[in-house]
């Protein structure tokens, strides 16, 4: 293989790469515009479906307006903080009724005769265990 052949092969390969890159870019641009068209078409059909539901009385126009104007999703409330792991002397205590472990909470309750009753209450099944 002569040096000339090699350089002409290289030249051809470069041109082919360039052409392929151009085709790739064109395909990408085509995809973007197709995506936009798809989005437009979906929006249109959703608007028409909603109009149809309003005409059929299946949806309140006010609600439809509200959903139509709400272009952005409402902010999602942050999830509640995780419950603290049970601690204390009853953390590993199992409920005698439902056998849940660590659900017994220490509670003081006033009794009829004015004293305080010391109880453990299960937060799962509300089973009470009298401690005195
Ligand atoms: Zn229980």
């Amino acid at each position: 293989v002569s040096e000339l052949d090699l350089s002409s092969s290289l030249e051809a390969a470069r041109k082919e790469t360039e052409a392929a890159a151009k085709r790739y870019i064109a395909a990408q641009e085509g995809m973007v515009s197709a995506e936009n068209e798809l989005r437009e078409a979906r929006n249109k059909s959703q608007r028409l479906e909603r109009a149809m539901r309003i005409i059929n009385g299946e949806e309140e126009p006010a609600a439809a307006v509200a959903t139509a104007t709400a272009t952005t999703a409402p902010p999602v409330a942050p999830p509640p903080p995780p419950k603290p792991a049970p601690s204390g002397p009853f953390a590993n205590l199992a409920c005698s009724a439902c056998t849940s472990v660590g659900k017994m909470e220490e509670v003081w309750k006033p009794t009829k005769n004015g004293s305080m009753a010391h109880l453990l209450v299960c937060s799962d099944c509300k089973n009470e265990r009298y401690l005195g």
Side-chain angles (χ1 to χ4, degrees):
V1 182
S2 75
E3 202 181 313
L4 189 67
D5 284 344
L6 266 182
S7 68
S8 67
S9 301
L10 178 62
E11 185 65 21
R14 276 181 179 157
K15 273 183 180 159
E16 203 174 304
T17 305
E18 203 177 308
K22 276 179 183 164
R23 283 199 300 275
Y24 176 76
I25 290 166
Q28 240 182 2
E29 282 170 354
M31 202 172 79
V32 168
S33 78
E35 260 178 4
N36 288 337
E37 280 168 27
L38 175 64
R39 203 174 300 129
E40 266 302 297
R42 272 195 191 139
N43 285 344
K44 191 177 178 183
S45 82
Q46 278 172 359
R47 281 197 301 272
L48 290 173
E49 278 173 20
R50 188 169 291 142
M52 189 73 95
R53 285 201 297 273
I54 292 167
I55 290 168
N56 292 338
E58 292 165 18
E59 192 173 327
E60 291 294 316
V65 168
T67 49
T69 51
T71 47
T72 51
V76 179
K83 272 192 169 182
S87 58
F90 310 113
N92 297 314
L93 192 70
C95 170
S96 58
C98 71
T99 68
S100 283
V101 178
K103 299 295 171 103
M104 303 306 283
E105 286 167 3
E106 207 173 2
V107 172
W108 288 91
K109 267 189 186 173
T111 60
K112 281 176 193 166
N113 58 23
S115 66
M116 296 294 274
H118 193 188
L119 302 167
L120 286 179
V121 180
C122 175
S123 59
D124 266 5
C125 71
K126 307 297 174 199
N127 178 54
E128 292 183 350
R129 185 159 153 191
Y130 187 71
L131 293 179

